[in-house]
Every structure is written in structure tokens, then in C-alpha cells.
Amino acid sequence: MQNTETPSLNMLLKATITALLFAALALVLIILPAEYNIDPTGIGQKLGLTTLSQAALSSPSEPKNVSFTTSDGENGTREEMIEISIPAKKGLEYKLIMKQFDKVKYEWLTGGQPLFFDLHGEPESDDSGYFESYAVATLPEMKGSFTAPFDGTHGWYWENPTEKPVKVLLMVEGTFDLIAE
């Protein structure tokens, strides 16, 4: 007859902590550099993992400028992950339709290529050309949130000054409808 011992609480705690440490190490050392070109330790670059994310985000564009995945959340919220190709020497605008006081969390990444952008909104049914800018800069990525100050379209205009197309990975979560321009 085989003697099996039930693991003690101390053994289970040690095993759980060890598993969490390995998961955190894998995230920081492998997943972030390979998927998002985020390399806080520099090991991802030494192992060549950052080139994987750069190649994926800045490879030549396909015939379509936009592709996305979606999921619906609770209380009418939704999540989108959208890949947008900004053609060389051109600009592209991507917008969300939002009602006043709707909230959105967002993050966009280029894999390291800085782009000029203008995060702005345009009131619904306003033909005057008025728009309100919320952020204007030249950056390779940005993360934040905003609350729509009025009913209308709210989104990003990116301009690519380079000779090659640049892919933008845009992740949004909140209450909105999409329109791609």
C-alpha cells in the first residue's frame, strides 16, 4: 500500500508563490518585449524579442487599413482591439461615436515609431467644422481615458511622416460605437 501525504498549507503557499513569480518573470522578460515592444530589463532586445513586435506592428500594410476584434461587456460597454495601418507620408482618422458623459479607456502603440496625433471630438450635427482637441503630440504610444463632453464623434488623427506604412494597435474599452475613416 502506498502512503500519500496531503500537502500542507505551507507547501501549497510556497508552490503558489513560485508559480506567480515564474508567471511575472515570463510576462516581463518574454511577453511584453515580444508582443508590445515594452522591454524594462533590456533582456528582450538582447534575445531579439523586441524585433518580433516591431516587425508585427510596422510591416507593410495589407489592402485594408483597419482590422479589429470585439467583445461586449456588462452595462453596454465593449472592448475593441483594432489594428490600423497608417500609409507612408499620409494621415488617417479613426473615430468613436459617443453620447455626452460616455467614458472610454484607451491605449495605442506603434512598436516604437513616433506619430503625430490629435485626439479630438466633433459635436453631433455641427457642420461648422468645429472640433475640440483633448491631446496633441508626437509619440510612439499613449494610454489614458476620457469622458465625452458632448454627443458626437471622438477619436484620433494620426500622421505618418515616414517612407513606410506604420501599424497602430488601438485598444479601447467603454461605451461607444465605432466608425473608421
Side-chain angles (χ1 to χ4, degrees):
M1 189 167 159
Q2 192 175 10
N3 186 6
T4 58
E5 190 177 311
T6 304
S8 69
L9 182 60
N10 193 25
M11 289 173 62
L12 288 174
L13 186 60
K14 284 181 184 178
T16 301
I17 290 172
T18 302
L20 288 172
L21 286 174
F22 278 111
L25 279 173
L27 175 69
V28 171
L29 298 177
I30 298 169
I31 296 169
L32 288 176
E35 293 291 325
Y36 301 103
N37 197 29
I38 299 171
D39 191 11
T41 64
I43 291 175
Q45 184 174 8
K46 290 177 184 169
L47 294 174
L49 297 173
T50 55
T51 57
L52 295 173
S53 65
Q54 290 169 351
L57 289 174
S58 64
S59 63
S61 67
E62 292 132 28
K64 292 174 80 178
N65 279 343
V66 177
S67 65
F68 63 93
T69 58
T70 183
S71 66
D72 292 327
E74 297 177 21
N75 302 325
T77 64
R78 60 192 289 179
E79 292 181 39
E80 302 281 346
M81 184 165 23
I82 307 122
E83 187 175 278
I84 305 164
S85 181
I86 313 296
K89 300 285 188 185
K90 297 212 186 269
L92 193 128
E93 194 162 31
Y94 196 87
K95 295 186 181 181
L96 311 174
I97 299 171
M98 299 175 68
K99 297 290 183 196
Q100 186 176 27
F101 306 124
D102 282 351
K103 296 174 181 9
V104 162
K105 289 191 279 187
Y106 66 89
E107 180 176 8
W108 61 264
L109 316 154
T110 65
Q113 177 60 52
L115 295 177
F116 169 80
F117 76 93
D118 181 354
L119 172 58
H120 63 280
E122 298 155 344
E124 185 177 61
S125 303
D126 185 321
D127 297 331
S128 70
Y130 170 80
F131 66 94
E132 184 175 329
S133 290
Y134 312 130
V136 178
T138 300
L139 296 170
E141 61 189 56
M142 187 174 185
K143 183 177 187 177
S145 64
F146 69 88
T147 301
F150 46 78
D151 290 355
T153 58
H154 305 269
W156 299 263
Y157 169 77
W158 289 283
E159 193 170 292
N160 177 6
T162 71
E163 299 293 331
K164 291 192 240 179
V166 173
K167 292 211 178 179
V168 173
L169 180 61
L170 172 64
M171 294 157 281
V172 288
E173 178 184 347
T175 308
F176 58 87
D177 287 318
L178 290 174
I179 57 171
E181 292 186 19

